[in-house]
Amino acid sequence: MKTKLRVKKDFLISISAILLGLLAGAGLMAVTGNSPLEGFIYLFRGGTMNIERIGNTLATATPLIFTGLSVAFAFKTGLFNIGAAGQMLIGGLCATAIGLTFDWPKAILLTVIAVASLIGGALWAALPGLLKARYNVHEVVATIMMNWIAYWAIYYIIPQHFKGPFLETESQRIPEAASLKVPWLTDLFSGSFINLGFFLAIVFVVIIAFVLEKTTMGYELKAVGYNRDAAEAAGISVNRNIILSMAIAGALAGLGGATFYIGFASNMQIGVLPAQGFDGIAVALLGANAPWGVFTAAIFFGLLHNGKGFMSAMTAIPPEIADTIIATIIYFAATSVLIERNWDKLKKINLENILRRKKRGKLAVKAGGER
Amino acid sequence: MKYIVEMENIRKSFPGVVACDEINFQVRKGEIHALLGENGAGKSTLMNVLFGLYQQDRGEIYLRGEKVNITNPNIANDLGIGMVHQHFKLVHNFTVTENIILGIEPVKALMVDTRSASSRIREISERYGLNVDPEAKIEDVSVGMQQRVEILKMLYRDAEILIFDEPTAVLTPQEVTELMKIMRGLIEEGKSIILITHKLKEIMAIADRCTVIRWGKVVGTVNVSDTNEEKLAEMMVGRKVLFDINKKEANPRGEVLRIESLSVLGSAGTHGLKNFSLRVKGGEIVGLAGVDGNGQAELVEAIIGLRRTDSGKIYLHGTDVTRLTTRQRINSGMAHIPDDRHKHGLILDYTVLENLILKNYYLEPYSRRGLINWDYVYTHAEQVIKDFDVRSGQGAEASARSLSGGNQQKAIVGREIDGNPDLLLAVQPTRGLDVGAIEYIHRRLLEQRDQGKAVFLISLELDEILDLSDRIAVIYNGELVGVVNAAETNENEIGLMMAGGRRGAVA
Ligand SMILES: Nc1ncnc2c1ncn2[C@@H]1O[C@H](COP(=O)(O)OP(=O)(O)O)[C@@H](O)[C@H]1O
Ligand SMILES: [Mg+2]
C-alpha cells in the first residue's frame, strides 16, 4: 500500500508543478497585456484541435518518451544520464546509415534499423557506465563528453558519407522504405507527422515498466540505486548493474534518436545536439521516474510544444511564453521537495487514514498485482 | 537555592518527532544526576537545549534560580555550563593546549600566549588528577585521554555544571573506572554533573539521583539509593525485563570458519588487520571484544568479501574462500548481520518483503527465469515476519524506513537466519535497540548456536560479549591479543586485553 501512497503523492506533486507553471504563464500573459484564458485556449487547441494536430502532438512526444524513459531508468539505479542527446545522435546515425545503404523490404529494414540504433545507443552509454564502474569517473562528466564526441562524429561522418545532393550540412533524405512514417497512419491522422515510433514508444514503456516491477534485473537495478552499500553487502554486483543500467538507458535514447531522425524528420543535420535529449530530464522529473508517468509527461510536453505556434499565431502572445511555462514547470518539479514537504504537512494524516481504511476493506493484497 | 539547574516544560520537536515533550528536570548543586533512557529517548536533545545548541519550542530554563535564555553555546559557557559530547569535538593535529584555548585564546602583544595557557592547563590537570600532557597532539593520545581533554576544556572555561553525553561508550572498563574517579573528584570541588547514559550499572555505581526518560517524556526522578537495576530498567523500557539469559552448555563440533594470518589494509585513520588468526566451530559463539576502531570493521569486511586482503586466508568448512565474491560466500553458507543496518543491512526505500529477498531473489522459488514470483515472495515474507515478530503498520508491504529500529533489526536477523547459514556473523547486532529487542536477538543467536551453527559475534558492548560468548577473542590495534574461555574470565581481564595487555601480563 505504501507504493500506492507514494505514486499518489508523486502524481499530486507533478500536478502541483504543472498548475504552478501554468499559473506563472498566466501571470506573464496578463503582464504582457493579453488574456490568459484566451492564451490557454489557443495553446491547448493548438495541440488538440483536430486529428492532424493530435497526431503531431504524439509525434513530438515520441522521442521525448524515449529520452524520458532513458533518464528515468538510469535514475532508478542512481545514475544521472545527461547524455541522452548524444545517444540519440548515435541511434539516429545508425538508422540513417542503414536506411541509406541497404535496399531491403520495409519490415526487414526497419527491424534491422531498430536493433542497430538500440545497440548503438547502448554502447554509447555503456562506456560512461564502464568508466564509472571501473574508475569512478562521474557519469555526468562522462556522458557530457560523449555528447560532444557524438556531435563531432556526426559533423564528420554525415558530410563525408551520407551528404545530400544540395546541402553539405545534412544527410540525404532516407528512402520511403526506411521511414517510420507509413501511409495508412499518416492518412489516418490527415497528414500528420505521427509514425510507427509512437507505437514502439508504447511498447517500450510497457517493457520498462515490466522490467522494473517484475524481473530480478529490475529488482537488482533499483536496489543498487536506492542503496549501493547494502546491495553490495548482499552480494549484488554494483559495477555490473551500473554498466547494465547505462546500457539500457542508452538503448532507449538510441531508439528515440531513430524515431526522431527517420520518423519525425527524414534526414540528419550536422551541428545540432537534439534538444529532446535534455528535455528528457524534465520529462523524467515530471513523470516521477515512473514509466507511465514519463509517457504522460512527454505527451503533455508535446502538447505545449505543438500548441505554442498556434497560440502565437492567433493571439499577440509570444511563443516564448509557452517555453517559459515549460521551464517553470521543470523548475517546480525540480523543487518538488518543497512542495512535498508542505504537502506532507497538510495532507499526510488525511491521506493515510483514507488509505488505511480502504486497505482494511480489502483482503490481503497480492504483492504482485499491487506494485 | 535548592536547584542549580531547572528545566520546566521543555518541548523540542524535529520534523516528524517530538524529541522532548514537556520535560521537567532539576539538578541539585553538587550532585551527579543521571539521565537515563534508551537510544532516541531524547536525552541528547534535552542537554543540547540546555547547552544552547538547540532552541526549545516551549518551556523555561532557570539557572541558580534565575531565568535564563541560552541561545547559543557561548552563552552557556558564560553561564558556567560545559558539555562533553557523544562525539568529541577536537582538532586532531592541534596540541591539547591549542584545542583547549580554541576560541578564547589569551593574547599577549598580538601573539597567542600558549605559555601561560599551558601552565594553567597543567595546574587544572593536576588538581583533578587528569594526567593530561598539554603539549601532546590529539592524534597521538588515546580516546580516554581525548575525553579528559574535553573535560579540561570545560574546566578551563570555569564550568560548574558539567554535562557528559554517554561518556563511557568509547572507553574500556578500566578507563570507565578511571573516569568515575575523576567525576567524584569534580564533585568534591563543588561541581555538579549531569551524566547521560543507558547503562544501569554505571548509574548504580556513581549517580545520586536519576531521571528516566522514555519517548521524550519524563517517567520519573528517583534517588539511586532507593532503587535497583531491575526497577530502573522497568522505568526505562516500560515493562519488566528479564536479565538472565538462559544459556545451555555449548556443544562445539567441527570447525566452520578459519582465519589464517590475515592482514588487511585499513581505511585512513583506522588500523588495518595484522596477521590475525582465529577459528570458530559449529555450535559455539565466539565473541570478538575490542574498543571501536581496532580493526573490527576491516575484519568483517574481509570475511564477507567487501575488502581486499593483503595476505592470509579465510576458510569456510575447510574451503578457501579468500578470493570468492560476496555472493559466492553467501551461497557457501555465510550470513551477516551488519552493524549499520541503514547503510549495509536494508534498502530503506524497499518494502519489508523486498528486503527479505535481498540475498536470494535470483534463486528459485523466489524467481524463475528472471521473473520474480511475487506471490511466493509475499507468503514467504509473511512467514518470516511472523516467525521473527517483525511489527509494522502495514505488514510485509510497509517500507523498511517506516519500521522502528528494533523491528528493522529483527527483519535483518530474520532474513539472515532464514537463509539457514552455517556461519552467522553478528556485528553489533543490538546496537541502539531497546532492551526488549536486545533480549529477543540474544535468544535467537543462542538458538542458532544450539542448532550447531557457528556464531561469530563482534561487539563493542562488553556485557553482550560476556553474556553470550563461549570463547572470547580480543582485538587491539588490528592484532589478536588472545583468546580466552568465557567461563574462565571476567570483565577486568578482558578490559586489560582490550587495552593491549597480553594475557600473560595479567596477574
Ligand atoms: N537534529 C535532529 N534532527 C532531527 N531529528 C533529531 C535530531 N536530533 C535528534 N533527533 C531525533 O530526536 C529523537 C531523540 O534523539 P536524541 O536526543 O539523540 O536521543 P538520545 O540521546 O536519548 O539517544 C530521536 O528520534 C532522534 O531521531
Ligand atoms: Mg544521545
Side-chain angles (χ1 to χ4, degrees), chain B residues 386-410:
Chain B
K386 204 171 118 227
D387 289 351
F388 289 85
D389 191 31
V390 182
R391 296 189 198 163
S392 75
Q394 298 126 322
E397 297 262 358
S399 86
R401 191 183 295 284
S402 69
L403 266 57
S404 73
N407 283 300
Q408 288 177 339
Q409 192 72 352
K410 282 186 200 166

Short mmCIF file of all heavy atoms in Angstrom, two decimals, chain B residues 386-410:
data_model
loop_
_atom_site.label_atom_id
_atom_site.label_comp_id
_atom_site.label_asym_id
_atom_site.label_seq_id
_atom_site.Cartn_x
_atom_site.Cartn_y
_atom_site.Cartn_z
N LYS B 386 6.19 -13.35 10.78
CA LYS B 386 5.55 -14.00 11.91
C LYS B 386 6.60 -14.67 12.81
O LYS B 386 6.61 -14.48 14.01
CB LYS B 386 4.52 -15.03 11.41
CG LYS B 386 3.43 -15.32 12.41
CD LYS B 386 2.34 -16.16 11.78
CE LYS B 386 2.25 -17.48 12.50
NZ LYS B 386 2.20 -18.65 11.61
N ASP B 387 7.48 -15.42 12.17
CA ASP B 387 8.50 -16.15 12.94
C ASP B 387 9.39 -15.21 13.75
O ASP B 387 9.84 -15.56 14.83
CB ASP B 387 9.39 -16.96 12.00
CG ASP B 387 8.65 -18.14 11.40
OD1 ASP B 387 7.52 -18.38 11.87
OD2 ASP B 387 9.19 -18.79 10.50
N PHE B 388 9.68 -14.08 13.19
CA PHE B 388 10.65 -13.20 13.85
C PHE B 388 10.00 -11.97 14.47
O PHE B 388 10.67 -11.03 14.86
CB PHE B 388 11.77 -12.81 12.86
CG PHE B 388 12.67 -13.95 12.56
CD1 PHE B 388 12.34 -14.87 11.57
CD2 PHE B 388 13.82 -14.16 13.30
CE1 PHE B 388 13.15 -15.95 11.30
CE2 PHE B 388 14.62 -15.24 13.04
CZ PHE B 388 14.30 -16.14 12.04
N ASP B 389 8.68 -12.00 14.51
CA ASP B 389 7.95 -10.99 15.26
C ASP B 389 8.31 -9.57 14.77
O ASP B 389 8.57 -8.68 15.57
CB ASP B 389 8.27 -11.15 16.75
CG ASP B 389 7.36 -10.31 17.60
OD1 ASP B 389 6.21 -10.10 17.18
OD2 ASP B 389 7.81 -9.85 18.67
N VAL B 390 8.34 -9.39 13.47
CA VAL B 390 8.62 -8.06 12.92
C VAL B 390 7.30 -7.30 12.90
O VAL B 390 6.36 -7.70 12.22
CB VAL B 390 9.17 -8.17 11.48
CG1 VAL B 390 9.49 -6.79 10.94
CG2 VAL B 390 10.39 -9.06 11.45
N ARG B 391 7.25 -6.22 13.65
CA ARG B 391 5.98 -5.50 13.72
C ARG B 391 6.03 -4.24 12.88
O ARG B 391 6.97 -3.46 12.96
CB ARG B 391 5.67 -5.12 15.15
CG ARG B 391 5.48 -6.37 15.95
CD ARG B 391 4.98 -6.10 17.32
NE ARG B 391 5.24 -7.31 18.11
CZ ARG B 391 5.23 -7.34 19.41
NH1 ARG B 391 4.96 -6.24 20.09
NH2 ARG B 391 5.48 -8.45 20.04
N SER B 392 5.00 -4.07 12.07
CA SER B 392 4.94 -2.86 11.27
C SER B 392 3.48 -2.53 11.01
O SER B 392 2.61 -3.39 11.16
CB SER B 392 5.66 -3.06 9.95
OG SER B 392 4.87 -3.85 9.10
N GLY B 393 3.24 -1.30 10.64
CA GLY B 393 1.87 -0.87 10.41
C GLY B 393 1.21 -1.65 9.28
O GLY B 393 0.05 -2.01 9.36
N GLN B 394 1.98 -1.91 8.23
CA GLN B 394 1.35 -2.49 7.05
C GLN B 394 1.95 -3.84 6.66
O GLN B 394 1.97 -4.18 5.50
CB GLN B 394 1.47 -1.52 5.88
CG GLN B 394 0.75 -0.23 6.13
CD GLN B 394 1.67 0.97 5.93
OE1 GLN B 394 2.85 0.94 6.27
NE2 GLN B 394 1.13 2.03 5.37
N GLY B 395 2.44 -4.56 7.64
CA GLY B 395 2.95 -5.89 7.38
C GLY B 395 4.07 -5.90 6.37
O GLY B 395 4.94 -5.04 6.38
N ALA B 396 4.01 -6.88 5.48
CA ALA B 396 5.09 -7.06 4.51
C ALA B 396 5.21 -5.88 3.55
O ALA B 396 6.25 -5.65 2.97
CB ALA B 396 4.85 -8.35 3.72
N GLU B 397 4.13 -5.14 3.40
CA GLU B 397 4.13 -4.06 2.42
C GLU B 397 4.62 -2.73 2.99
O GLU B 397 4.68 -1.73 2.30
CB GLU B 397 2.70 -3.84 1.90
CG GLU B 397 2.14 -5.04 1.17
CD GLU B 397 2.27 -4.86 -0.34
OE1 GLU B 397 2.76 -3.81 -0.77
OE2 GLU B 397 1.89 -5.79 -1.05
N ALA B 398 4.96 -2.71 4.28
CA ALA B 398 5.45 -1.46 4.87
C ALA B 398 6.84 -1.17 4.33
O ALA B 398 7.61 -2.09 4.07
CB ALA B 398 5.50 -1.61 6.38
N SER B 399 7.15 0.08 4.14
CA SER B 399 8.51 0.38 3.71
C SER B 399 9.43 0.17 4.90
O SER B 399 9.06 0.42 6.04
CB SER B 399 8.61 1.80 3.18
OG SER B 399 8.85 2.69 4.23
N ALA B 400 10.65 -0.31 4.61
CA ALA B 400 11.59 -0.61 5.69
C ALA B 400 11.84 0.64 6.52
O ALA B 400 12.08 0.57 7.72
CB ALA B 400 12.88 -1.15 5.11
N ARG B 401 11.79 1.79 5.87
CA ARG B 401 12.06 3.05 6.55
C ARG B 401 11.07 3.31 7.68
O ARG B 401 11.41 3.91 8.69
CB ARG B 401 11.98 4.18 5.53
CG ARG B 401 12.49 5.51 6.02
CD ARG B 401 12.29 6.57 4.95
NE ARG B 401 13.07 6.33 3.75
CZ ARG B 401 14.37 6.55 3.65
NH1 ARG B 401 15.03 7.02 4.68
NH2 ARG B 401 15.01 6.31 2.53
N SER B 402 9.85 2.83 7.50
CA SER B 402 8.81 3.16 8.47
C SER B 402 8.90 2.30 9.73
O SER B 402 8.20 2.56 10.70
CB SER B 402 7.43 3.00 7.83
OG SER B 402 7.17 1.63 7.60
N LEU B 403 9.74 1.28 9.73
CA LEU B 403 9.84 0.41 10.91
C LEU B 403 10.71 1.04 11.99
O LEU B 403 11.60 1.82 11.69
CB LEU B 403 10.47 -0.93 10.51
CG LEU B 403 9.53 -2.08 10.16
CD1 LEU B 403 8.60 -1.69 9.05
CD2 LEU B 403 10.33 -3.31 9.80
N SER B 404 10.45 0.65 13.23
CA SER B 404 11.33 1.10 14.31
C SER B 404 12.64 0.34 14.20
O SER B 404 12.72 -0.70 13.55
CB SER B 404 10.68 0.81 15.65
OG SER B 404 10.72 -0.57 15.89
N GLY B 405 13.67 0.86 14.86
CA GLY B 405 15.00 0.24 14.78
C GLY B 405 14.97 -1.23 15.16
O GLY B 405 15.57 -2.07 14.49
N GLY B 406 14.26 -1.56 16.21
CA GLY B 406 14.22 -2.93 16.68
C GLY B 406 13.59 -3.85 15.65
O GLY B 406 14.06 -4.96 15.41
N ASN B 407 12.54 -3.37 15.02
CA ASN B 407 11.87 -4.21 14.02
C ASN B 407 12.67 -4.30 12.73
O ASN B 407 12.66 -5.34 12.07
CB ASN B 407 10.45 -3.69 13.77
CG ASN B 407 9.53 -4.08 14.89
OD1 ASN B 407 9.34 -5.25 15.17
ND2 ASN B 407 8.99 -3.09 15.59
N GLN B 408 13.39 -3.23 12.40
CA GLN B 408 14.28 -3.31 11.26
C GLN B 408 15.32 -4.40 11.51
O GLN B 408 15.61 -5.22 10.64
CB GLN B 408 14.99 -1.97 11.04
CG GLN B 408 14.07 -0.89 10.50
CD GLN B 408 14.77 0.45 10.37
OE1 GLN B 408 15.80 0.70 11.00
NE2 GLN B 408 14.22 1.33 9.55
N GLN B 409 15.86 -4.38 12.73
CA GLN B 409 16.89 -5.35 13.05
C GLN B 409 16.33 -6.77 13.05
O GLN B 409 16.98 -7.69 12.58
CB GLN B 409 17.52 -5.01 14.42
CG GLN B 409 18.78 -5.78 14.72
CD GLN B 409 19.97 -5.31 13.88
OE1 GLN B 409 19.82 -4.51 12.97
NE2 GLN B 409 21.13 -5.84 14.17
N LYS B 410 15.11 -6.93 13.55
CA LYS B 410 14.51 -8.26 13.54
C LYS B 410 14.30 -8.74 12.11
O LYS B 410 14.46 -9.92 11.82
CB LYS B 410 13.16 -8.23 14.26
CG LYS B 410 13.28 -8.22 15.76
CD LYS B 410 11.88 -8.34 16.34
CE LYS B 410 11.79 -7.88 17.76
NZ LYS B 410 10.36 -7.71 18.13
#
